[in-house]
Amino acid sequence: MEFNIEFSKENYPNTPKQIEELARIALNTRQDIIKSLFLAKSGHSGGPLGISDVMSVLFFAGIMKYDSQNPNWKERDRFVLSCGHYAPVLYTVLARAGYFPTEELLTLRKLGSRLQGHPGLDSELPGIETSSGSLGQGISIAVGMAMSDKLLEKNDRTVFCLTGDGEIQEGSCWEAAMSAGNFKLDNLCWIVDNNNCQIDGRVEDVMSIYPLGDKFQTFKFEVIEIDGHNFNDIIAAFNQFKQNQKNRSGKPTVIICKTKMGRGVSFMEDNYQWHGNPPNEKEAIQALSELI
Ligand SMILES: Cc1ncc(C[n+]2csc(CCOP(=O)(O)OP(=O)(O)O)c2C)c(N)n1
């Protein structure tokens, strides 16, 4: 197989779509991730590949309100990547949404690039709402944003925030959860990537976070648990969140997405050893031959 290292210029519209189209977008997202990580020669493969289906729906199925040509649009919804090491998937969807040229994906982690290993506000990359990488902090920032929108500005904006599942072993996440429940932040949608893998093992073996739904319920959340690779489930979950927000339910929502780390690439799937490695050339060729 010829290893095509170019990135197509294709942008995707943010409109409701058929499942087949969303599946194609998620597949292309995974290809972009593999290519950029291979070129970077460092970075995280497993998490970004696993959450690609959810991110494709969030950004390209008309769920999130944004204008890539006007990134600071006052009425936009905000996406906070609390698990900053998932940057490759965020950069990919932002590029495909039109925030910056897709060619820039070639520069992941390079000196002087705006696409550093973890998102940074100092890079001034359009679409980045906050710096992240120190686990457990992004969700607190997201809660602050949601609090300001709901209690101070009294607007209809939404804050979406993605955390890992190992990440929520950080105590600060639970302080954020307590605040979100207490202050009735029904404009907050917390997405947990529940791949049950973390840097050096299975989450339940390192330090169990289970039962996860029950914990969030105790913190006064609306809890939705889904298969994070089932597009019908993902769309329904986001729609249910939006309905709750519209009804002023007074409860933040958590969508617990059961996913497989490294989804789509046989030798990476459900293997925590792919948490923080890029593919080498042979592996990248193999991965791309499977992502078709
Ligand atoms: C405060 C803090 N401690 C440790 C790390 C190092 N670290 C980066 S990712 C990670 C594992 C996170 O696990 P999870 O959230 O499940 O992500 P996944 O393995 O699914 O990619 C760790 C310990 C960090 N970035 N920040």
Side-chain angles (χ1 to χ4, degrees):
M1 179 195 156
E2 178 103 353
F3 191 7
N4 179 8
I5 211 67
E6 287 175 5
F7 289 85
S8 76
K9 292 194 189 320
E10 191 179 7
N11 283 173
Y12 312 130
N14 183 19
T15 50
K17 292 181 178 61
Q18 300 292 323
I19 302 297
E20 297 71 35
E21 201 178 343
L22 286 168
R24 182 187 66 85
I25 289 173
L27 192 74
N28 292 350
T29 301
R30 291 185 167 97
Q31 292 167 350
D32 285 354
I33 291 168
I34 292 291
K35 289 179 191 176
S36 55
L37 280 167
F38 163 66
L39 288 170
K41 296 189 169 39
S42 68
H44 300 79
S45 303
L49 289 170
I51 205 66
S52 290
D53 297 328
V54 173
M55 291 289 278
S56 299
V57 172
L58 181 59
F59 275 81
F60 302 118
I63 307 287
M64 212 171 84
K65 207 168 47 173
Y66 63 86
D67 177 359
S68 60
Q69 300 313 298
N70 184 9
N72 296 323
W73 179 37
K74 276 268 180 212
E75 289 167 40
R76 75 190 184 282
D77 295 334
R78 284 178 280 188
F79 175 78
V80 173
L81 184 74
S82 190
C83 44
H85 63 286
Y86 280 45
V89 69
L90 178 59
Y91 296 148
T92 296
V93 294
L94 289 178
R96 296 292 172 192
Y99 280 94
F100 55 86
T102 52
E103 291 91 327
E104 211 165 330
L105 295 171
L106 292 160
T107 71
L108 177 68
R109 286 179 169 244
K110 303 282 186 216
L111 198 63
S113 166
R114 298 195 292 179
L115 278 56
Q116 286 306 308
H118 299 76
L121 278 178
D122 55 343
S123 70
E124 296 183 9
L125 187 70
I128 299 297
E129 299 285 358
T130 188
S131 303
S132 57
S134 186
L135 297 173
Q137 296 191 353
I139 184 60
S140 294
I141 294 170
V143 167
M145 289 175 176
M147 209 181 275
S148 151
D149 281 342
K150 190 163 176 71
L151 307 180
L152 217 60
E153 310 278 337
K154 301 188 195 311
N155 58 35
D156 289 323
R157 294 167 70 179
T158 298
V159 181
F160 295 92
C161 179
L162 175 68
T163 67
D165 51 3
E167 177 176 10
I168 60 176
Q169 293 162 342
E170 290 281 352
S172 58
C173 292
W174 297 101
E175 185 177 347
M178 201 182 334
S179 306
N182 183 70
F183 293 105
K184 303 184 170 30
L185 303 183
D186 49 22
N187 56 342
L188 176 74
C189 182
W190 182 337
I191 304 158
V192 179
D193 184 16
N194 190 196
N195 58 19
N196 201 33
C197 290
Q198 60 183 103
I199 195 165
D200 49 9
R202 315 286 299 176
V203 170
E204 64 206 350
D205 295 335
V206 176
M207 184 165 76
S208 177
I209 54 171
Y210 305 110
L212 194 50
D214 292 354
K215 282 197 177 69
F216 275 105
Q217 224 145 29
T218 309
F219 281 84
K220 302 183 187 156
F221 274 64
E222 190 75 44
V223 179
I224 305 173
E225 302 198 44
I226 61 166
D227 171 350
H229 302 306
N230 179 317
F231 287 99
N232 285 315
D233 274 19
I234 303 168
I235 295 166
F238 283 126
N239 284 338
Q240 191 181 325
F241 158 67
K242 286 174 104 174
Q243 198 54 48
N244 293 344
Q245 183 182 12
K246 214 167 141 197
N247 295 343
R248 310 248 182 256
S249 73
K251 282 179 155 198
T253 293
V254 62
I255 305 179
I256 300 171
C257 304
K258 297 245 176 268
T259 64
K260 285 208 166 131
M261 175 173 271
R263 170 78 169 192
V265 178
S266 58
F267 57 92
M268 294 186 184
E269 259 192 36
D270 204 24
N271 181 351
Y272 69 81
Q273 284 169 344
W274 280 97
H275 155 90
N277 304 330
N280 61 26
E281 184 169 357
K282 190 164 160 255
E283 291 160 340
I285 290 171
Q286 173 68 27
L288 290 173
S289 77
E290 294 180 17
L291 294 169
I292 48 171

